Amino acid sequence: MTVYHFVGIKGSGMSALAQILHDMGYEVQGSDYEKYFFTQKGLEQSGIKILPFQRENIKPGLTVIAGNAFPDTHEEIEEAVKVGVPVIRYHKFLGEFMQKFTSVAVTGAHGKTSTTGLLAHAISGSKPTSYLIGDGTGHGEKDAEYFVFEACEYRRHFLSYYPDYAIMTNIDFDHPDYFANIDDVFSAFQEMAMHVKKGIIAYGDDEQLQKIQAKVPVLFYGFAEENDFQARNIEKNSAGTKFDVFVRNNYFATFEIPTFGDHNVLNALSVIALCHYEQISTEKTQEYLKTFKGVKRRFTEKQVGTQVIVDDYAHHPTEIKATIDSARQKYPNREIVVVFQPHTFTRTQTFLTEFAQSLSEADHVFLCEIFGSAREVHGKLTVNDLKDKIQGAQILLEEDTSPLLELKDSVILFMGAGDIQKYQRAYEQLLEKQ
């Protein structure tokens, strides 16, 4: 039996896929940079071998699954080609793998990871389900009927997939290093829609998604009455959110979720729509939505002293606003502090004004140096260009996080898609010394 060798096993999708194959009884190993990534925890818990990158890792008998972040010139990929070991790209492998199940792709500019996690949790209550979540979580069931997975639009990778269903959470302009504009993003989603085999669940209050054409039924969800699935009578409190669901203007059922903000109501609504379409028990869906614990790096919180510290992946203005809204719902009487690390120079440049507007909704704003991606290590822009647009904003250094000590009883949101966690770790270490 072949051994699957993952080049770049700590990548969020790669580590999740490695865990799925391992759970299903396949032999799995992989290689990556030696730097610690939060995604490796699950690999270590499963006992999956992680090697440092080196040509010598490649031996006959392997099948190489190559991460999309690594070019064909990577030493291990070159070696595999040289010795005749099969090499398959992550998204191509996933596209073939999912054909064995009733597959549900969750895609959209925002909300993919949380919705994938929620859907996997909800369906698992009724049917054996394997799932791949973009926070690095993967689970394989040997007799799985369903496969729920996160499908990323970046570089049109999701066009390798032909799922039974797709949930489309929204279309927004992001990844400006690849997409030219919103029309370019729409064209990718439109092409993806034509790949779907049974049905699409789309956020109907999104003017871009309203234009989607497909060969299968498109069911819309949202807050407006025109939607097939509509959330009404929303009650928010510091324990979560309760709402009624109407299907084509007829009352269907009432649901409760332990999460905050309108975006989480919408995520839940898409899951409810899919479960309804697949005739999964309404009672089970209600029960499992109530017990969802969330996904990694999405409003992950802990109490430290008098402060609540939150780790969140938000790295686009829309996501930042949603995270601040969630914090205000859960902690209405506390000051909200944001520590934000911009992710990529191109994104920061493109959305400079929008970042300033969304960050300004917090009570205090601290900015960290811009995190360049593997594709662009530096740019002309600096974090001061963003700071100048936000009244009262300050720069925070990893070696001196002491300004945060002054903000007693506050909620501190550490947000970003780079290595923002090093700032959080530095601050927590400082707190231990107090």
Side-chain angles (χ1 to χ4, degrees):
M1 192 161 109
T2 189
V3 177
Y4 287 107
H5 177 82
F6 285 72
V7 177
I9 195 166
K10 296 181 188 179
S12 54
M14 292 279 280
S15 60
L17 181 58
Q19 288 169 67
I20 291 168
L21 294 180
H22 172 268
D23 290 349
M24 293 174 80
Y26 295 99
E27 207 174 324
V28 175
Q29 64 176 45
S31 55
D32 214 313
Y33 297 113
E34 293 187 61
K35 178 182 171 185
Y36 183 83
F37 289 90
F38 73 95
T39 50
Q40 72 192 67
K41 191 176 175 186
L43 298 169
E44 287 164 355
Q45 286 169 341
S46 297
I48 294 169
K49 195 193 310 181
I50 307 173
L51 306 159
F53 281 137
Q54 55 177 353
R55 200 174 280 278
E56 291 70 28
N57 293 334
I58 305 303
K59 298 179 173 70
L62 300 180
T63 294
V64 168
I65 300 176
N68 294 327
F70 302 96
D72 292 343
T73 51
H74 186 277
E75 60 179 324
E76 291 193 7
I77 299 172
E78 277 190 338
E79 184 68 16
V81 172
K82 186 174 144 192
V83 300
V85 164
V87 177
I88 182 164
R89 284 285 170 186
Y90 163 81
H91 55 290
K92 294 280 186 205
F93 183 90
L94 198 56
E96 290 169 21
F97 175 78
M98 71 183 59
Q99 300 306 323
K100 307 174 189 124
F101 315 96
T102 297
S103 55
V104 188
V106 180
T107 190
H110 320 295
K112 288 188 289 291
T113 300
S114 298
T115 305
T116 308
L118 184 61
L119 180 64
H121 182 69
I123 297 183
S124 296
S126 300
K127 306 275 185 181
T129 306
S130 295
Y131 51 83
L132 185 153
I133 307 174
D135 67 349
T137 304
H139 173 71
E141 284 280 341
K142 286 209 168 83
D143 303 314
E145 291 176 36
Y146 286 84
F147 179 57
V148 174
F149 69 102
E150 184 169 333
C152 184
E153 77 278 16
Y154 184 59
R155 294 192 179 275
R156 289 176 163 78
H157 286 317
F158 62 4
L159 297 184
S160 296
Y161 311 143
Y162 290 81
D164 293 300
Y165 295 103
I167 288 177
M168 295 188 172
T169 59
N170 42 57
I171 293 178
D172 200 351
F173 181 39
D174 194 10
H175 305 295
D177 61 321
Y178 175 74
F179 289 112
N181 48 39
I182 188 77
D183 296 333
D184 192 20
V185 181
F186 174 81
S187 74
F189 278 86
Q190 177 52 63
E191 201 175 335
M192 172 62 175
M194 300 310 276
H195 287 197
V196 180
K197 295 189 284 201
K198 288 187 183 172
I200 294 172
I201 314 286
Y203 173 40
D205 302 342
D206 183 308
E207 59 182 52
Q208 297 291 332
L209 279 173
Q210 286 170 5
K211 300 185 292 193
I212 284 286
Q213 304 289 312
K215 295 179 259 190
V216 295
V218 180
L219 300 180
F220 288 109
Y221 68 92
F223 297 122
E225 268 188 27
E226 299 76 35
N227 290 298
D228 301 291
F229 287 77
Q230 184 199 8
R232 292 187 197 170
N233 308 322
I234 298 163
E235 295 174 28
K236 297 179 178 182
N237 60 48
S238 58
T241 313
K242 184 177 178 180
F243 56 95
D244 295 335
V245 174
F246 283 70
V247 180
R248 298 179 190 89
N249 289 318
N250 293 309
Y251 173 75
F252 167 52
T254 300
F255 294 84
E256 288 177 59
I257 51 174
T259 46
F260 307 89
D262 286 349
H263 60 296
N264 278 312
V265 174
L266 292 170
N267 294 349
L269 201 49
S270 71
V271 168
I272 291 161
L274 187 112
C275 290
H276 179 275
Y277 200 80
E278 273 288 282
Q279 299 178 329
I280 286 168
S281 147
T282 305
E283 292 71 29
K284 281 282 186 196
T285 305
Q286 286 169 314
E287 178 191 336
Y288 274 74
L289 288 190
K290 239 191 250 185
T291 59
F292 182 55
K293 298 281 193 289
V295 293
K296 295 189 201 107
R297 301 221 56 224
R298 303 301 187 279
F299 213 85
T300 305
E301 56 185 307
K302 57 170 107 167
Q303 179 86 34
V304 184
T306 66
Q307 295 172 328
V308 176
I309 292 178
V310 177
D311 174 30
D312 197 275
Y313 187 69
H315 58 283
H316 183 282
T318 306
E319 297 163 355
I320 289 167
K321 184 180 183 313
T323 303
I324 294 171
D325 287 350
S326 295
R328 291 226 182 270
Q329 182 184 336
K330 186 164 188 185
Y331 299 104
N333 303 317
R334 291 182 182 237
E335 282 198 315
I336 306 300
V337 181
V338 165
V339 180
F340 176 60
Q341 180 191 48
H343 185 255
T344 79
F345 292 95
T346 44
R347 186 184 280 117
T348 310
Q349 181 74 64
T350 305
F351 301 117
L352 198 63
T353 302
E354 291 87 346
F355 274 126
Q357 287 166 344
S358 58
L359 289 164
S360 296
E361 299 201 8
D363 299 305
H364 302 275
V365 178
F366 293 86
L367 300 171
C368 310
E369 284 300 332
I370 297 171
F371 183 91
S373 73
R375 292 170 292 277
E376 37 128 79
V377 184
H378 54 79
K380 291 178 191 153
L381 187 80
T382 76
V383 74
N384 286 306
D385 293 300
L386 180 55
K387 174 179 172 282
D388 293 344
K389 287 182 169 285
I390 304 168
Q391 192 175 353
Q394 300 175 54
I395 302 293
L396 192 73
L397 303 174
E398 185 187 356
E399 50 274 19
D400 181 16
T401 56
S402 61
L404 300 176
L405 293 171
E406 309 297 315
L407 302 160
K408 294 186 174 26
D409 303 319
S410 61
V411 178
I412 304 179
L413 307 174
F414 285 86
M415 293 197 284
D419 56 6
I420 181 69
Q421 288 147 311
K422 71 183 185 184
Y423 293 88
Q424 183 178 333
R425 273 197 300 276
Y427 181 55
E428 288 175 8
Q429 285 162 4
L430 178 64
L431 283 170
E432 284 167 16
K433 295 175 190 162
Q434 296 305 300

PDB file of all heavy atoms in Angstrom, residues 116-137:
ATOM      1  N   THR A 116     -18.255  25.617   7.365  1.00  0.00           N
ATOM      2  CA  THR A 116     -17.850  24.215   7.140  1.00  0.00           C
ATOM      3  C   THR A 116     -17.878  23.456   8.470  1.00  0.00           C
ATOM      4  O   THR A 116     -18.387  22.337   8.545  1.00  0.00           O
ATOM      5  CB  THR A 116     -16.440  24.134   6.519  1.00  0.00           C
ATOM      6  OG1 THR A 116     -16.382  24.961   5.359  1.00  0.00           O
ATOM      7  CG2 THR A 116     -16.086  22.712   6.117  1.00  0.00           C
ATOM      8  N   GLY A 117     -17.313  24.072   9.496  1.00  0.00           N
ATOM      9  CA  GLY A 117     -17.290  23.432  10.815  1.00  0.00           C
ATOM     10  C   GLY A 117     -18.690  23.173  11.341  1.00  0.00           C
ATOM     11  O   GLY A 117     -18.998  22.089  11.851  1.00  0.00           O
ATOM     12  N   LEU A 118     -19.570  24.164  11.196  1.00  0.00           N
ATOM     13  CA  LEU A 118     -20.948  24.039  11.689  1.00  0.00           C
ATOM     14  C   LEU A 118     -21.713  22.966  10.914  1.00  0.00           C
ATOM     15  O   LEU A 118     -22.427  22.143  11.502  1.00  0.00           O
ATOM     16  CB  LEU A 118     -21.651  25.396  11.562  1.00  0.00           C
ATOM     17  CG  LEU A 118     -23.073  25.488  12.114  1.00  0.00           C
ATOM     18  CD1 LEU A 118     -23.092  25.192  13.613  1.00  0.00           C
ATOM     19  CD2 LEU A 118     -23.662  26.872  11.855  1.00  0.00           C
ATOM     20  N   LEU A 119     -21.542  22.947   9.599  1.00  0.00           N
ATOM     21  CA  LEU A 119     -22.233  21.953   8.761  1.00  0.00           C
ATOM     22  C   LEU A 119     -21.755  20.540   9.085  1.00  0.00           C
ATOM     23  O   LEU A 119     -22.568  19.607   9.212  1.00  0.00           O
ATOM     24  CB  LEU A 119     -22.005  22.267   7.279  1.00  0.00           C
ATOM     25  CG  LEU A 119     -22.671  21.304   6.289  1.00  0.00           C
ATOM     26  CD1 LEU A 119     -24.189  21.366   6.396  1.00  0.00           C
ATOM     27  CD2 LEU A 119     -22.236  21.614   4.856  1.00  0.00           C
ATOM     28  N   ALA A 120     -20.446  20.378   9.216  1.00  0.00           N
ATOM     29  CA  ALA A 120     -19.889  19.054   9.543  1.00  0.00           C
ATOM     30  C   ALA A 120     -20.454  18.567  10.877  1.00  0.00           C
ATOM     31  O   ALA A 120     -20.855  17.404  11.017  1.00  0.00           O
ATOM     32  CB  ALA A 120     -18.365  19.132   9.604  1.00  0.00           C
ATOM     33  N   HIS A 121     -20.526  19.462  11.847  1.00  0.00           N
ATOM     34  CA  HIS A 121     -21.051  19.121  13.174  1.00  0.00           C
ATOM     35  C   HIS A 121     -22.528  18.732  13.077  1.00  0.00           C
ATOM     36  O   HIS A 121     -22.963  17.738  13.660  1.00  0.00           O
ATOM     37  CB  HIS A 121     -20.863  20.328  14.095  1.00  0.00           C
ATOM     38  CG  HIS A 121     -21.307  20.106  15.503  1.00  0.00           C
ATOM     39  ND1 HIS A 121     -20.658  19.249  16.365  1.00  0.00           N
ATOM     40  CD2 HIS A 121     -22.358  20.635  16.203  1.00  0.00           C
ATOM     41  CE1 HIS A 121     -21.282  19.262  17.547  1.00  0.00           C
ATOM     42  NE2 HIS A 121     -22.317  20.090  17.465  1.00  0.00           N
ATOM     43  N   ALA A 122     -23.296  19.520  12.313  1.00  0.00           N
ATOM     44  CA  ALA A 122     -24.749  19.274  12.206  1.00  0.00           C
ATOM     45  C   ALA A 122     -25.052  17.951  11.506  1.00  0.00           C
ATOM     46  O   ALA A 122     -25.882  17.171  11.979  1.00  0.00           O
ATOM     47  CB  ALA A 122     -25.416  20.429  11.466  1.00  0.00           C
ATOM     48  N   ILE A 123     -24.376  17.680  10.388  1.00  0.00           N
ATOM     49  CA  ILE A 123     -24.662  16.433   9.643  1.00  0.00           C
ATOM     50  C   ILE A 123     -24.157  15.221  10.424  1.00  0.00           C
ATOM     51  O   ILE A 123     -24.790  14.164  10.418  1.00  0.00           O
ATOM     52  CB  ILE A 123     -24.044  16.467   8.228  1.00  0.00           C
ATOM     53  CG1 ILE A 123     -24.662  17.602   7.400  1.00  0.00           C
ATOM     54  CG2 ILE A 123     -24.309  15.142   7.500  1.00  0.00           C
ATOM     55  CD1 ILE A 123     -24.168  17.656   5.961  1.00  0.00           C
ATOM     56  N   SER A 124     -23.026  15.382  11.130  1.00  0.00           N
ATOM     57  CA  SER A 124     -22.460  14.259  11.908  1.00  0.00           C
ATOM     58  C   SER A 124     -23.448  13.731  12.932  1.00  0.00           C
ATOM     59  O   SER A 124     -23.364  12.567  13.338  1.00  0.00           O
ATOM     60  CB  SER A 124     -21.189  14.698  12.642  1.00  0.00           C
ATOM     61  OG  SER A 124     -20.194  15.054  11.728  1.00  0.00           O
ATOM     62  N   GLY A 125     -24.386  14.577  13.365  1.00  0.00           N
ATOM     63  CA  GLY A 125     -25.388  14.135  14.334  1.00  0.00           C
ATOM     64  C   GLY A 125     -26.333  13.091  13.771  1.00  0.00           C
ATOM     65  O   GLY A 125     -26.978  12.357  14.531  1.00  0.00           O
ATOM     66  N   SER A 126     -26.442  13.005  12.442  1.00  0.00           N
ATOM     67  CA  SER A 126     -27.392  12.081  11.820  1.00  0.00           C
ATOM     68  C   SER A 126     -26.750  11.057  10.894  1.00  0.00           C
ATOM     69  O   SER A 126     -27.280   9.962  10.718  1.00  0.00           O
ATOM     70  CB  SER A 126     -28.419  12.880  11.001  1.00  0.00           C
ATOM     71  OG  SER A 126     -29.129  13.764  11.834  1.00  0.00           O
ATOM     72  N   LYS A 127     -25.628  11.408  10.279  1.00  0.00           N
ATOM     73  CA  LYS A 127     -25.016  10.540   9.260  1.00  0.00           C
ATOM     74  C   LYS A 127     -23.496  10.503   9.452  1.00  0.00           C
ATOM     75  O   LYS A 127     -22.902  11.517   9.833  1.00  0.00           O
ATOM     76  CB  LYS A 127     -25.278  11.099   7.850  1.00  0.00           C
ATOM     77  CG  LYS A 127     -26.741  11.358   7.528  1.00  0.00           C
ATOM     78  CD  LYS A 127     -27.432  10.103   7.037  1.00  0.00           C
ATOM     79  CE  LYS A 127     -28.861  10.431   6.605  1.00  0.00           C
ATOM     80  NZ  LYS A 127     -29.559   9.240   6.139  1.00  0.00           N
ATOM     81  N   PRO A 128     -22.846   9.363   9.143  1.00  0.00           N
ATOM     82  CA  PRO A 128     -21.374   9.335   9.216  1.00  0.00           C
ATOM     83  C   PRO A 128     -20.786  10.325   8.203  1.00  0.00           C
ATOM     84  O   PRO A 128     -21.124  10.279   7.020  1.00  0.00           O
ATOM     85  CB  PRO A 128     -21.003   7.889   8.889  1.00  0.00           C
ATOM     86  CG  PRO A 128     -22.230   7.249   8.339  1.00  0.00           C
ATOM     87  CD  PRO A 128     -23.411   8.062   8.756  1.00  0.00           C
ATOM     88  N   THR A 129     -19.943  11.213   8.705  1.00  0.00           N
ATOM     89  CA  THR A 129     -19.473  12.349   7.897  1.00  0.00           C
ATOM     90  C   THR A 129     -17.964  12.535   8.042  1.00  0.00           C
ATOM     91  O   THR A 129     -17.451  12.588   9.162  1.00  0.00           O
ATOM     92  CB  THR A 129     -20.185  13.647   8.364  1.00  0.00           C
ATOM     93  OG1 THR A 129     -21.601  13.442   8.321  1.00  0.00           O
ATOM     94  CG2 THR A 129     -19.812  14.834   7.502  1.00  0.00           C
ATOM     95  N   SER A 130     -17.279  12.644   6.917  1.00  0.00           N
ATOM     96  CA  SER A 130     -15.875  13.077   6.927  1.00  0.00           C
ATOM     97  C   SER A 130     -15.860  14.557   6.591  1.00  0.00           C
ATOM     98  O   SER A 130     -16.742  15.057   5.894  1.00  0.00           O
ATOM     99  CB  SER A 130     -15.060  12.317   5.879  1.00  0.00           C
ATOM    100  OG  SER A 130     -14.996  10.945   6.197  1.00  0.00           O
ATOM    101  N   TYR A 131     -14.861  15.268   7.097  1.00  0.00           N
ATOM    102  CA  TYR A 131     -14.849  16.713   6.822  1.00  0.00           C
ATOM    103  C   TYR A 131     -13.434  17.274   6.806  1.00  0.00           C
ATOM    104  O   TYR A 131     -12.526  16.759   7.462  1.00  0.00           O
ATOM    105  CB  TYR A 131     -15.714  17.479   7.830  1.00  0.00           C
ATOM    106  CG  TYR A 131     -15.448  17.190   9.282  1.00  0.00           C
ATOM    107  CD1 TYR A 131     -14.416  17.828   9.975  1.00  0.00           C
ATOM    108  CD2 TYR A 131     -16.247  16.275   9.980  1.00  0.00           C
ATOM    109  CE1 TYR A 131     -14.189  17.557  11.312  1.00  0.00           C
ATOM    110  CE2 TYR A 131     -16.018  15.995  11.319  1.00  0.00           C
ATOM    111  CZ  TYR A 131     -14.985  16.643  11.987  1.00  0.00           C
ATOM    112  OH  TYR A 131     -14.749  16.365  13.310  1.00  0.00           O
ATOM    113  N   LEU A 132     -13.300  18.333   6.012  1.00  0.00           N
ATOM    114  CA  LEU A 132     -12.029  19.054   5.883  1.00  0.00           C
ATOM    115  C   LEU A 132     -12.315  20.534   6.103  1.00  0.00           C
ATOM    116  O   LEU A 132     -13.035  21.158   5.318  1.00  0.00           O
ATOM    117  CB  LEU A 132     -11.442  18.823   4.488  1.00  0.00           C
ATOM    118  CG  LEU A 132     -10.058  19.414   4.206  1.00  0.00           C
ATOM    119  CD1 LEU A 132      -9.350  18.602   3.125  1.00  0.00           C
ATOM    120  CD2 LEU A 132     -10.131  20.866   3.739  1.00  0.00           C
ATOM    121  N   ILE A 133     -11.798  21.073   7.206  1.00  0.00           N
ATOM    122  CA  ILE A 133     -12.057  22.467   7.572  1.00  0.00           C
ATOM    123  C   ILE A 133     -10.768  23.265   7.395  1.00  0.00           C
ATOM    124  O   ILE A 133      -9.679  22.773   7.688  1.00  0.00           O
ATOM    125  CB  ILE A 133     -12.564  22.555   9.032  1.00  0.00           C
ATOM    126  CG1 ILE A 133     -13.773  21.605   9.225  1.00  0.00           C
ATOM    127  CG2 ILE A 133     -12.963  23.980   9.392  1.00  0.00           C
ATOM    128  CD1 ILE A 133     -14.260  21.496  10.653  1.00  0.00           C
ATOM    129  N   GLY A 134     -10.913  24.481   6.923  1.00  0.00           N
ATOM    130  CA  GLY A 134      -9.743  25.308   6.596  1.00  0.00           C
ATOM    131  C   GLY A 134      -8.956  25.807   7.782  1.00  0.00           C
ATOM    132  O   GLY A 134      -8.001  26.570   7.634  1.00  0.00           O
ATOM    133  N   ASP A 135      -9.318  25.382   9.011  1.00  0.00           N
ATOM    134  CA  ASP A 135      -8.502  25.747  10.177  1.00  0.00           C
ATOM    135  C   ASP A 135      -7.508  24.637  10.489  1.00  0.00           C
ATOM    136  O   ASP A 135      -6.903  24.616  11.555  1.00  0.00           O
ATOM    137  CB  ASP A 135      -9.404  26.031  11.394  1.00  0.00           C
ATOM    138  CG  ASP A 135     -10.128  24.780  11.892  1.00  0.00           C
ATOM    139  OD1 ASP A 135     -10.114  23.742  11.183  1.00  0.00           O
ATOM    140  OD2 ASP A 135     -10.718  24.826  12.991  1.00  0.00           O
ATOM    141  N   GLY A 136      -7.377  23.681   9.546  1.00  0.00           N
ATOM    142  CA  GLY A 136      -6.426  22.587   9.747  1.00  0.00           C
ATOM    143  C   GLY A 136      -7.047  21.354  10.366  1.00  0.00           C
ATOM    144  O   GLY A 136      -6.358  20.382  10.667  1.00  0.00           O
ATOM    145  N   THR A 137      -8.368  21.353  10.566  1.00  0.00           N
ATOM    146  CA  THR A 137      -9.058  20.214  11.175  1.00  0.00           C
ATOM    147  C   THR A 137      -9.573  19.283  10.089  1.00  0.00           C
ATOM    148  O   THR A 137     -10.289  19.710   9.185  1.00  0.00           O
ATOM    149  CB  THR A 137     -10.253  20.691  12.028  1.00  0.00           C
ATOM    150  OG1 THR A 137      -9.793  21.623  12.989  1.00  0.00           O
ATOM    151  CG2 THR A 137     -10.929  19.527  12.734  1.00  0.00           C
TER     152      THR A 137
END
